[in-house]
Amino acid sequence: MSDEKSYSTNKLGYLLKEEHLMLRETIRSFAEKEVKPLAEKVDEESYFPKETFKKLGEMGFLGLPIPEEYGGAGLDTLSYAITVEELGRVCGSTGLSYAAHVSLGTTPFYLFGNEAQKKKFLPKLSSGEWLGAWALTEPGAGSDAAGQKTTATLDGDEYVINGAKTFITNALYADSFIIMAMTDKAKGNRGISAFAFEKGTPGFKIGKTENKMGMRGSPTSQIIFDDCRISKENILGQEGEGFIQALKTLDGGRISIASLALGIAQGAFDAALKYSTEREQFNSSISGFQSIQNHLANMAMEIHAARLMIYDCAWLKDNKIPYTKESAMAKLYASEVSSRVTNLAIQIYGGYGYIKEFPVERYLRDAKLTEIGEGTSEIQRLVIARNLIKEIS
């Protein structure tokens, strides 16, 4: 196992089986040896580490929750959450692109695709031959999915797609896409359908790639459709099922983002804890100061609580127990914990924490995205409240 220590991650024996601990050792060792050395370059140069994803595919991690019959590893949601956490602990950008590929770009094919679509897309996505992306958000429609303007009009045996999507993770390097488009505007959310297509389809192009505050090595781009024609066989499920598919996809995706937020928080905490024992002021390490100890205690407590929420939610999903409310809770809490912990990590570093030579300023910038992506904190509170009210109605 890697010599790099990380507080508390192997102390949840009643939740983690031996295979989970072995998987954590494997992915942590990979993250330390292969991902961490590139993290500064990934951030500074907005560099997408294709070599990392090739290796993750060869190791079976890109299809982690996909059944073996479709080229995946057939592992559970907890294994997937641990993997996202460990990648995020050393590089938020790599963790984000990995999570978007698995939970958004790959899993919907298994959940909603027909047998032909599964056999066509899943083996390539699971092996790392292809990278996946998923597109819902538009320039004028974020949380308001019914406000989207991208349309898909049936013309004979083809759908003609027009419109644009924005903030699409991995789009710049993706080989396959799942997109949402309106097939019947009069039906609102019930008029949204999901479509699969490949890179290079005529009428489809990549637009602007954003220059972001954080997660700089995980490309976020606009995609544009101009009379883009795809076969009607490329629809996932039936017309009008896209919005329900999106909600189910986002439920699982929130476990991903929560795990990513947790990993970022853990990485920042590990660095701050180590630094506090090495930094001396007034002839003593600052770890002996009560104010620093208070920070460390609060950070560790909130990280531990977030991990329990995420692992519990993963257990619910694996046991086919409804988890919409719990995934929103886990994503909300873990993302806000991540922002608090990374901010305190900089405080512990003092002036050095504000300098790019040290990693904690990157952790802080990366953490902020987790409060926005796959539903803002405000939307998570709305989801939680609505489910609470529904439970007693």
Side-chain angles (χ1 to χ4, degrees):
M1 184 171 177
S2 168
D3 292 334
E4 197 73 19
K5 294 182 179 179
S6 185
Y7 170 81
S8 183
T9 52
N10 288 339
K11 296 181 180 179
L12 299 171
Y14 67 99
L15 283 173
L16 301 180
K17 299 176 182 177
E18 184 62 30
E19 53 263 38
H20 295 128
L21 298 178
M22 291 175 63
L23 179 134
R24 189 190 292 282
E25 283 194 21
T26 300
I27 192 61
R28 180 173 295 176
S29 177
F30 176 83
E32 289 290 334
K33 293 175 182 177
E34 302 286 346
V35 181
K36 188 175 182 178
L38 290 173
E40 185 176 346
K41 174 185 175 74
V42 165
D43 179 65
E44 282 289 315
E45 301 177 16
S46 296
Y47 174 72
F48 182 74
K50 292 182 181 179
E51 62 272 38
T52 297
F53 283 84
K54 183 176 185 297
K55 291 173 184 176
L56 284 168
E58 292 170 351
M59 294 171 67
F61 280 99
L62 291 186
L64 205 67
I66 303 301
E68 293 180 16
E69 64 182 295
Y70 299 115
L75 298 184
D76 61 10
T77 305
L78 184 50
S79 298
Y80 170 61
I82 289 169
T83 302
V84 176
E85 178 186 342
E86 290 298 330
L87 292 173
R89 192 172 71 88
V90 296
C91 180
S93 292
T94 301
L96 176 61
S97 280
Y98 172 79
H101 167 83
V102 177
S103 72
L104 302 181
T106 301
T107 301
F109 282 112
Y110 175 64
L111 295 177
F112 314 116
N114 58 38
E115 194 63 20
Q117 291 166 342
K118 290 176 183 179
K119 288 180 177 178
K120 176 180 179 179
F121 288 93
L122 289 175
K124 292 180 179 180
L125 289 164
S126 296
S127 68
E129 180 181 348
W130 282 3
L131 187 72
W134 187 81
L136 173 65
T137 303
E138 297 188 1
S143 302
D144 178 17
Q148 65 180 289
K149 299 186 183 303
T150 299
T151 59
T153 305
L154 187 61
D155 181 21
D157 290 334
E158 295 179 321
Y159 281 97
V160 182
I161 302 176
N162 284 285
K165 300 289 181 179
T166 194
F167 300 146
I168 309 306
T169 303
N170 292 345
L172 192 60
Y173 297 99
D175 301 279
S176 70
F177 297 78
I178 298 170
I179 67 119
M180 303 294 154
M182 280 287 188
T183 47
D184 189 341
K185 288 185 177 182
K187 293 182 179 179
N189 286 339
R190 295 184 180 182
I192 299 173
S193 303
F195 299 89
F197 68 99
E198 300 170 43
K199 179 177 67 176
T201 301
F204 162 77
K205 67 177 182 179
I206 304 295
K208 177 186 177 184
T209 295
E210 303 296 344
N211 184 11
K212 300 179 296 184
M213 174 178 119
M215 302 290 194
R216 293 178 54 78
S218 178
T220 301
S221 309
Q222 185 183 47
I223 60 177
I224 300 168
F225 306 93
D226 184 8
D227 286 337
C228 176
R229 287 181 170 268
I230 59 173
S231 169
K232 67 179 182 180
E233 294 178 357
N234 285 38
I235 192 169
L236 260 62
Q238 302 298 318
E239 276 199 8
E241 294 180 350
F243 183 67
I244 296 300
Q245 292 179 15
L247 292 180
K248 292 179 179 178
T249 299
L250 289 170
D251 280 347
R254 285 165 184 153
I255 298 176
S256 298
I257 297 299
S259 301
L260 177 60
L262 172 63
I264 293 168
Q266 186 71 63
F269 174 78
D270 292 343
L273 177 61
K274 186 173 185 291
Y275 182 81
S276 73
T277 64
E278 298 170 344
R279 173 67 168 168
E280 291 193 359
Q281 291 287 276
F282 307 106
N283 299 315
S284 174
S285 73
I286 64 172
S287 63
F289 300 158
Q290 188 175 22
S291 58
I292 300 298
Q293 291 177 350
N294 286 341
H295 287 333
L296 293 171
N298 287 334
M299 293 159 81
M301 174 183 65
E302 291 205 299
I303 288 171
H304 187 60
R307 181 171 288 114
L308 289 171
M309 292 180 72
I310 294 164
Y311 288 9
D312 174 69
C313 192
W315 182 89
L316 290 174
K317 182 180 180 184
D318 286 332
N319 284 274
K320 296 180 171 48
I321 298 171
Y323 64 98
T324 297
K325 178 184 68 180
E326 287 77 11
S327 68
M329 286 179 169
K331 194 270 187 186
L332 171 64
Y333 184 71
S335 63
E336 294 190 348
V337 163
S338 194
S339 284
R340 288 193 291 270
V341 166
T342 53
N343 190 56
L344 284 174
I346 289 180
Q347 199 69 21
I348 290 171
Y349 269 77
Y352 290 108
Y354 205 66
I355 296 172
K356 286 185 177 292
E357 182 180 347
F358 296 89
V360 288
E361 64 86 29
R362 168 167 54 87
Y363 283 121
L364 177 65
R365 289 186 286 106
D366 286 349
K368 186 59 191 175
L369 183 276
T370 67
E371 292 184 271
I372 299 170
E374 299 211 27
T376 62
S377 292
E378 291 76 13
I379 289 296
Q380 304 310 318
R381 287 182 166 89
L382 186 63
V383 171
I384 294 165
R386 285 180 174 175
N387 277 271
L388 288 171
I389 293 166
K390 186 188 302 182
E391 287 171 3
I392 64 168
S393 298

